[in-house]
């Protein structure tokens, strides 16, 4: 149901994690994700810990799903002296090419505990169905199509 479009995207994501690069609007960092089928839905879960739900943007154009998010620094008092800062800040983005067998008009999203979960129904035309065929005079038989 999911089609990979850029074979080097995973290498970029790993390199960004190794060097600790923060994403920018012109070069956003990738976000980790899982994708699986659950019955008649396709589920994609994106890790976005610490991201405000208002800073998440999900778009679908044709069959290209784009998720963008921004993790901003937490406001601190002027007297605070930062000792260690390892949590990545900046812009994160991920594009996923969806198969034609998904109903992109009915995507549902939920954000809980730092995980954005998108549920995409399988299109009716892609589901298995019975097809009636005739097998001679007055006899009908159904087969799966």
């Amino acid at each position: 149901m999911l089609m990979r479009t850029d074979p080097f995207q995973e290498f970029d994501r790993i390199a960004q994690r190794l060097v600790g690069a923060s994403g920018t609007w012109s070069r956003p960092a990738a976000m980790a994700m899982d994708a699986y089928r659950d019955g008649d839905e396709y589920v994609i879960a994106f890790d976005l810990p610490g991201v405000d739900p208002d800073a998440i943007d999900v778009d679908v154009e044709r069959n290209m799903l784009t998720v963008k998010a921004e993790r901003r620094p937490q406001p601190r008092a002027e007297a605070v002296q930062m000792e260690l800062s390892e949590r990545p800040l900046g812009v994160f983005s991920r594009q996923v090419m969806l198969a034609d067998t998904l109903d992109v008009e009915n995507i549902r999203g939920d954000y809980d505990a730092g995980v954005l979960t998108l549920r995409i129904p399988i299109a009716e035309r892609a589901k298995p169905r019975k097809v009636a065929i005739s097998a001679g005079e007055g006899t009908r038989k159904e087969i799966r199509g």
Side-chain angles (χ1 to χ4, degrees), residues 69-89:
E70 183 177 9
R71 184 178 307 129
R72 298 177 182 107
Q74 297 294 318
R76 294 182 179 88
E78 285 186 33
V80 172
Q81 181 179 343
M82 183 61 85
E83 295 292 331
L84 179 66
S85 179
E86 293 181 345
R87 297 174 54 214
L89 301 173

Side-chain angles (χ1 to χ4, degrees), residues 130-134 140-143:
K130 297 261 186 196
V131 176
I133 61 167
S134 36
R140 288 195 117 185
K141 181 178 180 181
E142 288 192 6
I143 62 171

Side-chain angles (χ1 to χ4, degrees), residues 1-3 33-44 96-99 102 107-108 117-122:
M1 297 295 171
L2 182 70
M3 296 183 279
M33 68 174 235
D34 290 334
Y36 56 93
R37 184 172 176 165
D38 182 11
D40 286 341
E41 292 183 317
Y42 199 70
V43 181
I44 306 175
V96 178
M97 179 67 83
L98 302 174
L102 298 175
I107 296 175
R108 295 183 329 272
T117 303
L118 301 178
R119 295 184 172 279
I120 311 165
I122 306 295

Side-chain angles (χ1 to χ4, degrees), residues 2-17:
L2 182 70
M3 296 183 279
R4 294 191 181 258
T5 57
D6 183 0
F8 299 103
Q9 186 176 22
E10 186 66 16
F11 291 123
D12 286 344
R13 188 175 68 80
I14 291 170
Q16 285 177 351
R17 283 189 176 186

Side-chain angles (χ1 to χ4, degrees), residues 37-135:
R37 184 172 176 165
D38 182 11
D40 286 341
E41 292 183 317
Y42 199 70
V43 181
I44 306 175
F46 298 92
D47 279 351
L48 294 170
V51 173
D52 187 299
D54 293 334
I56 300 172
D57 185 38
V58 180
D59 290 314
V60 178
E61 186 176 334
R62 296 193 181 141
N63 285 9
M64 180 65 73
L65 172 74
T66 303
V67 177
K68 287 186 179 179
E70 183 177 9
R71 184 178 307 129
R72 298 177 182 107
Q74 297 294 318
R76 294 182 179 88
E78 285 186 33
V80 172
Q81 181 179 343
M82 183 61 85
E83 295 292 331
L84 179 66
S85 179
E86 293 181 345
R87 297 174 54 214
L89 301 173
V91 180
F92 301 86
S93 180
R94 191 79 185 246
Q95 285 191 312
V96 178
M97 179 67 83
L98 302 174
D100 291 333
T101 56
L102 298 175
D103 182 2
V104 296
E105 298 297 321
N106 292 301
I107 296 175
R108 295 183 329 272
D110 178 52
Y111 184 65
D112 184 40
V115 178
L116 172 65
T117 303
L118 301 178
R119 295 184 172 279
I120 311 165
I122 306 295
E124 287 299 320
R125 69 181 180 279
K127 294 179 183 175
R129 61 192 178 284
K130 297 261 186 196
V131 176
I133 61 167
S134 36

